[in-house]
Amino acid sequence: MQSDGLPLNKGLYFNLGGLSCDCTEEVIEVMAKALSGENGEKPDIWAQHESPYVKSLIELFSSRGLLRLDKVKEQLDAWMANKNFVGGKTFSKPRFGPTPHELNLVELYLEAIPAEKFGIDDWALLIDYLVAKYMPDGSLATEAEWLAVRSVFMGKVQANIANLGAAGADMVVAAMPNTTGAAEEAFKPSDLIKNILAYERARCADNVQALADSTRHRLKTVIMAHEQQRMLGATPPKEALQSTLFDTFADLNRDWRRIAVTEVGDAAGNGLIASLKAGTKVRRVEQYKGACPFCKKIHGMVFTVVDPDKKDKDWDTEVWVGKTNIGRSGAARKRVGDRLVERTDEEMWKVPAGTVHPHCRGTWHVLDDAKPTDDPDFAKWLNNLFASNPHKHDDDAAAKKVVTPS
Ligand SMILES: [Zn+2]
């Protein structure tokens, strides 16, 4: 008989004593992040970003990724429903490879087998095939570069034009070069911008690659477990498999959205700080539904931009390119051996140049007159763009003149 359970009004307690230090850390981190917003207010990860500089970038990148995941799902459904069965002569399983010729061989091999005859290895091969076809490494790397270049330079646009509206920002996003090479050619950016561009591009590429790996791994786990039940003589309901796959794809969609929001925010924040002269004052903006307690606390704080190579930088009052929370924590305590100890100030989250944590939507407002770094080529490019497209930002009453560095 089921017991009445324990009342929660006196608190809910976990005993983490039996876990390892690493596992305890993971639980504490997740709990610290989950305790977001007062009144149970949850962030809406699908809401458009509050900053006009990055809003359309996030939506474009997000929708392209979801389309790729949709294609994998649609094709997996078709194979499971035997819609891709062609028949004909079967042949021995080809070795999986990502080249068009190798993928073509895999397709021919699988098309000859009816779905009910697929073995576990065939399902695994199908998933490798679908991910390689719709989420190929090369295309994901191109997506990541597209996103990093535009995000970093939209940060630079913000340093040059305060209060740019959505129409103007969309026009600039559309006109940006696609690759780091083309951007370096067009804008002749500083070494600082080049470095942050290389970092953001690599970081974004790593994240999208990890998502492709996770897609492969998670789909295989679900399908293999279902197949194992079948092989053992059970008749697991197809609806249960469909429902688990539906949830898995929903998780993967959210993961892609997380990359879009977090990576764009991080690259644009760093791009902005890299494009402001040392001494410029910036105010942190964390104004969105469901901001976590830490981000609510830092909203409105003012920081001074300093060079990253300045000695004795102040983590509480200064911000610099590459100032990051990687390796720091939002949880007040950590487990050391069998004790829970307070973290030192150096171990705690601070206000970074980019995003505080995944899904963070923090941005900057540049105070007083923007003081962009000297970059005549970029200012000229922006001036020409606005001069030759006056109609595209007519409705953009707040668009200001481009600040031409002195
Ligand atoms: Zn936060």
Side-chain angles (χ1 to χ4, degrees):
M1 203 178 90
Q2 199 172 357
S3 80
D4 289 342
L6 295 166
L8 293 179
N9 57 356
K10 296 213 169 65
L12 174 60
Y13 299 95
F14 291 109
N15 183 352
L16 306 180
L19 299 180
S20 69
C21 285
D22 282 353
C23 286
T24 310
E25 278 297 280
E26 216 170 310
V27 173
I28 293 175
E29 281 292 320
V30 170
M31 294 292 288
K33 281 174 194 157
L35 293 170
S36 65
E38 289 128 26
N39 310 321
E41 197 184 47
K42 288 262 187 306
D44 176 4
I45 65 166
W46 300 104
Q48 292 207 339
H49 200 283
E50 292 66 23
S51 163
Y53 293 91
V54 296
K55 180 167 33 188
S56 66
L57 261 182
I58 292 172
E59 294 310 319
L60 281 169
F61 180 80
S62 199
S63 59
R64 292 208 297 251
L66 297 196
L67 202 61
R68 290 179 186 280
L69 286 163
D70 262 2
K71 276 284 178 195
V72 174
K73 181 172 187 307
E74 183 191 293
Q75 280 303 306
L76 182 58
D77 285 345
W79 283 92
M80 289 196 310
N82 207 31
K83 286 183 183 159
N84 291 338
F85 173 59
V86 174
K89 212 166 161 5
T90 55
F91 56 97
S92 60
K93 194 188 305 293
R95 213 164 55 94
F96 177 77
T99 65
H101 172 67
E102 288 166 317
L103 290 181
N104 191 246
L105 275 183
V106 170
E107 193 177 321
L108 287 172
Y109 166 80
L110 293 171
E111 279 173 355
I113 309 169
E116 71 268 18
K117 291 275 168 58
F118 266 42
I120 280 192
D121 287 347
D122 296 326
W123 287 113
L125 185 64
L126 172 65
I127 289 162
D128 284 335
Y129 162 77
L130 291 177
V131 174
K133 185 166 179 186
Y134 296 109
M135 305 174 85
D137 291 354
S139 299
L140 293 186
T142 305
E143 290 277 6
E145 183 169 12
W146 180 93
L147 191 73
V149 169
R150 279 172 163 69
S151 305
V152 167
F153 282 102
M154 282 315 281
K156 197 166 178 58
V157 169
Q158 191 188 348
N160 281 271
I161 313 175
N163 305 319
L164 182 63
D170 287 356
M171 178 188 73
V172 180
V173 164
M176 288 262 176
N178 286 327
T179 63
T180 45
E184 288 180 9
E185 177 81 29
F187 304 143
K188 317 271 185 305
S190 64
D191 285 347
L192 208 54
I193 294 273
K194 276 191 204 165
N195 288 342
I196 200 66
L197 203 50
Y199 167 74
E200 297 292 351
R201 176 186 162 187
R203 176 179 145 136
C204 189
D206 186 50
N207 271 298
V208 290
Q209 190 55 58
L211 179 67
D213 293 343
S214 162
T215 304
R216 238 184 322 261
H217 172 65
R218 295 188 62 176
L219 293 179
K220 281 185 189 176
T221 305
V222 172
I223 300 229
M224 284 176 178
H226 179 85
E227 278 308 299
Q228 188 212 25
Q229 291 298 307
R230 260 181 16 115
M231 283 164 60
L232 294 175
T235 46
K238 269 218 163 119
E239 296 72 30
L241 174 64
Q242 294 291 359
S243 158
T244 312
L245 282 174
F246 184 86
D247 292 344
T248 305
F249 276 105
D251 281 350
L252 292 167
N253 284 346
R254 280 194 291 272
D255 286 347
W256 188 277
R257 180 71 176 179
R258 186 201 68 235
I259 297 173
V261 171
T262 315
E263 298 312 307
V264 171
D266 198 74
N270 275 288
L272 170 68
I273 299 299
S275 308
L276 291 169
K277 276 186 178 163
T280 307
K281 301 269 188 214
V282 287
R283 186 169 58 220
R284 186 74 179 185
V285 181
E286 298 275 354
Q287 235 169 356
Y288 48 92
K289 194 177 144 221
C292 76
F294 178 85
C295 292
K296 277 187 177 158
K297 203 175 69 194
I298 65 176
H299 174 65
M301 283 185 179
V302 174
F303 291 79
T304 306
V305 176
V306 297
D307 288 329
D309 55 3
K310 174 183 178 269
K311 292 219 162 50
D312 301 323
K313 293 183 285 293
D314 187 327
W315 280 77
D316 295 318
T317 60
E318 295 175 341
V319 63
W320 55 91
V321 179
K323 184 184 179 192
T324 171
N325 270 329
I326 290 173
R328 290 173 174 254
S329 172
R333 295 178 189 86
K334 64 175 175 179
R335 179 170 175 167
V336 180
D338 281 336
R339 305 201 71 79
L340 212 51
V341 299
E342 301 278 335
R343 284 181 203 276
T344 62
D345 190 54
E346 287 74 40
E347 293 171 322
M348 296 294 295
W349 276 352
K350 295 287 177 177
V351 182
T355 40
V356 175
H357 53 73
H359 280 306
C360 173
R361 291 175 174 229
T363 52
W364 296 103
H365 175 73
V366 184
L367 293 174
D368 306 325
D369 282 339
K371 285 182 236 154
T373 45
D374 292 334
D375 205 335
D377 282 328
F378 190 70
K380 200 168 129 196
W381 183 83
L382 270 181
N383 274 324
N384 287 343
L385 182 67
F386 274 82
S388 53
N389 295 282
H391 57 287
K392 288 202 178 159
H393 56 99
D394 274 350
D395 57 330
D396 186 7
K400 299 263 175 74
K401 66 179 171 52
V402 176
V403 180
T404 309
S406 51

